[in-house]
Amino acid sequence: MGLNQDKVFWNASIEEIKKGYYFKGDSYTCLICGEEFVKGIIYKKGDTFYEAEKYAKIHVLEEHGTIFEYLLNMNKSFTGISDIQKTMLLSFGEGLKDKEIAKEMSLSPSTIRNHRFKLKEKEKQAKIFLAIMALLDESKGNKEEEEEELVSIHKTATMVDERYSITEKEKENTIKNYFDHSGKLKDMPSKEKKKIIVLGYITNNFNKGKTYTEKEINRILGRIYEDYAILRRYLIEYGFMDRTKDCLSYWVKE
């Protein structure tokens, strides 16, 4: 891809996130996987031809589902949405009435209305918070001294806390200290921050959108570190990769 896709995602505008893609230069790029569609090129699907932006929309829907559901399925640390709120939002998205949702969830209509009210209040809070942060960014732009840039958290992280408070400089130094010139891992760090950096760097050895067998995973990881099994376990545990229940197929999470 050439770009840090997680960083691109977190820096996208609300409108871009709603669409699932952004336009820069001469390309429409998927915010989730980074696939690009060049303006001016006609793309064919079946017997139909599409211009680039239309094809980007089709790609997002077919490869990643609706953006509404994709965002709802992100880690609760990112969305701030509880499981019951997620279920209700999905029901609201389907156009169900309060009485229908209440019946489906075995709750009273008044309970559904209360949750709807709380979601509206959360929306108001989010607007105010975004305005505050935008004003803060504007005020910082007038100052000469710049803060150290933080590394973007991968969208599929299974936990989000102070362990992800990592600067670009810390990332650079950790990679330099823990990997040799050939890309082999010298040792597995014990500190969580460094472990996250190491695992993220290792993920670059795999192609997003590709499914790997366990044998392929072991072979690739074995070239990086002798104890490939622990690398494989950590990549799953920290949300960088996923696998089927029978452990026959693995892939990088997007």
Side-chain angles (χ1 to χ4, degrees):
M1 292 178 202
L3 291 171
N4 182 325
Q5 198 57 33
D6 289 317
K7 184 175 181 179
V8 169
F9 181 89
W10 294 119
N11 287 339
S13 68
I14 292 176
E15 286 304 312
E16 288 170 337
I17 292 175
K18 282 167 58 180
K19 291 189 294 186
Y21 63 88
Y22 66 97
F23 181 75
K24 186 175 182 181
D26 62 351
S27 299
Y28 296 93
T29 305
C30 177
L31 272 174
I32 300 172
C33 68
E35 188 162 346
E36 297 182 353
F37 307 95
V38 181
K39 186 176 182 179
I41 292 181
I42 301 301
Y43 295 85
K44 183 180 180 182
K45 185 171 182 62
D47 296 325
T48 308
F49 295 89
Y50 300 94
E51 52 87 26
E53 184 172 13
K54 179 63 177 178
Y55 199 73
K57 293 178 181 178
I58 293 171
H59 161 82
V60 171
L61 182 61
E62 293 192 348
E63 295 298 321
H64 309 296
T66 67
I67 293 300
F68 181 73
E69 291 187 4
Y70 178 84
L71 296 175
L72 277 181
N73 285 322
M74 289 180 71
N75 190 293
K76 285 186 285 187
S77 299
F78 296 133
T79 65
I81 297 171
S82 66
D83 290 335
I84 190 168
Q85 288 174 331
K86 175 182 172 181
T87 300
M88 288 187 180
L89 284 167
L90 287 169
S91 298
F92 294 152
E94 292 172 4
L96 298 180
K97 304 295 184 184
D98 289 355
K99 288 184 179 179
E100 295 173 313
I101 300 171
K103 184 178 181 181
E104 191 174 284
M105 298 183 67
S106 300
L107 297 170
S108 68
S110 62
T111 299
I112 304 300
R113 286 195 297 274
N114 287 337
H115 277 289
R116 191 190 290 272
F117 170 78
K118 290 178 181 177
L119 287 168
K120 284 293 183 182
E121 290 304 298
K122 186 184 285 286
E123 180 185 18
K124 293 177 186 176
Q125 292 171 350
K127 286 181 179 178
I128 297 299
F129 182 72
L130 285 173
I132 291 170
M133 295 305 291
L135 290 168
L136 180 62
D137 285 341
E138 288 177 12
S139 68
K140 286 196 299 184
N142 298 325
K143 297 178 182 178
E144 293 183 4
E145 186 178 351
E146 293 185 2
E147 296 177 357
E148 288 189 88
E149 185 178 1
L150 293 174
V151 174
S152 297
I153 302 173
H154 60 288
K155 302 186 299 295
T156 55
T158 52
M159 69 288 190
V160 180
D161 51 32
E162 66 279 356
R163 285 173 286 189
Y164 282 90
S165 179
I166 303 166
T167 67
E168 289 289 350
K169 189 65 176 177
E170 286 177 317
K171 176 182 176 181
E172 181 184 330
N173 289 337
T174 299
I175 292 172
K176 182 179 179 180
N177 293 333
Y178 278 87
F179 291 91
D180 64 19
H181 67 280
S182 67
K184 287 188 177 181
L185 179 64
K186 300 174 186 177
D187 192 20
M188 191 68 196
S190 57
K191 290 187 177 181
E192 289 293 295
K193 275 190 177 185
K194 293 180 179 179
K195 190 180 295 182
I196 290 167
I197 294 170
V198 163
L199 293 171
Y201 187 71
I202 289 173
T203 306
N204 294 325
N205 288 275
F206 302 93
N207 296 320
K208 287 188 176 183
K210 180 178 178 179
T211 300
Y212 297 85
T213 65
E214 185 172 290
K215 186 176 180 180
E216 289 174 322
I217 290 288
N218 292 344
R219 184 174 68 250
I220 294 170
L221 293 179
R223 292 199 296 260
I224 299 170
Y225 191 57
E226 186 177 282
D227 190 353
Y228 57 80
I230 196 168
L231 287 185
R232 190 181 65 220
R233 179 165 66 84
Y234 281 146
L235 287 169
I236 299 294
E237 183 180 324
Y238 286 76
F240 287 99
M241 298 192 79
D242 205 351
R243 64 187 176 192
T244 54
K245 289 183 178 180
D246 57 15
C247 299
L248 293 178
S249 300
Y250 291 74
W251 59 91
V252 175
K253 294 180 74 173
E254 296 178 336

